[in-house]
């Protein structure tokens, strides 16, 4: 009789798909590039709210390709889901941006989703890396928008 396959061991920094959400809480340095358009350096903070919810707020300095600079911010709500999380726009009432189911991809945990923001489409990917950092990429395509945004998050003070 064959033994059932054992689950993959957790990754040291993030654990498993069900523990990634817990690892987000706290402050992160962020570096973002928006191809041929802009870059941003700043801080993102995931603040625990009621059970299973985090408020995400990022603040930073945005530099446009033409050299102009200004401060910017963005907010979302992250909600724990089995094996991942859902991201909601920070508006009232909240509206779903996308739901991320996390799977093991080699030595990283990863998830992706698509969001139609008529008439444009956002294809988003999250990668939780063995060193404890994570990345978010948004490929935005459509008649109004066409760009790739890539953000690297590293734990503050880490």
């Amino acid at each position: 009789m064959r033994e059932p396959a054992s689950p993959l061991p957790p990754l040291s920094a993030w654990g498993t798909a069900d523990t990634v959400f817990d690892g987000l809480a706290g402050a992160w340095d962020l570096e973002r590039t928006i191809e041929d358009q802009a870059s941003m350096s700043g801080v993102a903070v995931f603040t625990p709210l009621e059970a299973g919810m985090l408020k995400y707020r990022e603040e930073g300095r945005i530099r446009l390709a033409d050299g102009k600079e200004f401060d910017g911010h963005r907010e979302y709500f992250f909600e724990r889901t089995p094996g991942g999380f859902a991201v909601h726009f920070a508006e009232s009432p909240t509206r779903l941006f996308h739901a991320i189911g996390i799977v093991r991809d080699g030595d990283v945990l990863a998830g992706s989703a698509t969001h139609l923001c008529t008439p444009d489409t956002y294809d988003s990917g999250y990668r939780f890396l063995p060193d404890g950092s994570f990345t978010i990429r948004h490929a935005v395509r459509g008649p109004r928008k066409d760009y790739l945004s890539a953000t690297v998050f590293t734990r503050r003070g880490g």
Side-chain angles (χ1 to χ4, degrees), residues 71-113:
D71 293 327
H73 72 276
R74 175 181 300 166
E75 293 183 340
Y76 294 102
F77 291 109
F78 280 59
E79 178 183 22
R80 178 192 311 275
T81 61
F85 52 86
V87 181
H88 301 270
F89 294 105
E91 54 193 33
S92 187
T94 60
R95 195 169 43 95
L96 180 66
F97 177 30
H98 52 229
I100 302 295
I102 298 171
V103 298
R104 182 120 182 216
D105 182 9
D107 63 349
V108 304
L109 293 171
S112 61

Side-chain angles (χ1 to χ4, degrees), residues 4-125:
S6 62
L8 291 170
L11 297 170
S12 60
W14 290 99
T16 66
D18 286 318
T19 59
V20 165
F21 181 87
D22 298 319
L24 292 172
W28 299 83
D29 290 316
L30 74 84
E31 293 294 330
R32 176 174 298 137
T33 57
I34 301 174
E35 65 180 5
D36 303 323
Q37 295 181 34
S39 63
M40 178 180 177
S41 294
V43 176
V45 178
F46 290 86
T47 304
L49 300 174
E50 67 265 14
M53 294 292 291
L54 295 169
K55 179 180 182 182
Y56 170 90
R57 180 175 173 88
E58 68 179 39
E59 297 181 6
R61 191 78 178 155
I62 299 168
R63 287 169 293 290
L64 301 179
D66 66 6
K68 293 179 184 163
E69 293 189 17
F70 56 93
D71 293 327
H73 72 276
R74 175 181 300 166
E75 293 183 340
Y76 294 102
F77 291 109
F78 280 59
E79 178 183 22
R80 178 192 311 275
T81 61
F85 52 86
V87 181
H88 301 270
F89 294 105
E91 54 193 33
S92 187
T94 60
R95 195 169 43 95
L96 180 66
F97 177 30
H98 52 229
I100 302 295
I102 298 171
V103 298
R104 182 120 182 216
D105 182 9
D107 63 349
V108 304
L109 293 171
S112 61
T114 298
H115 172 79
L116 179 61
C117 185
T118 305
D120 303 311
T121 301
Y122 287 68
D123 288 314
S124 302

Side-chain angles (χ1 to χ4, degrees), residues 31-35 135-138 147-152:
E31 293 294 330
R32 176 174 298 137
T33 57
I34 301 174
E35 65 180 5
T135 63
I136 301 174
R137 294 173 53 94
H138 301 291
Y147 66 87
L148 175 64
S149 168
T151 307
V152 176

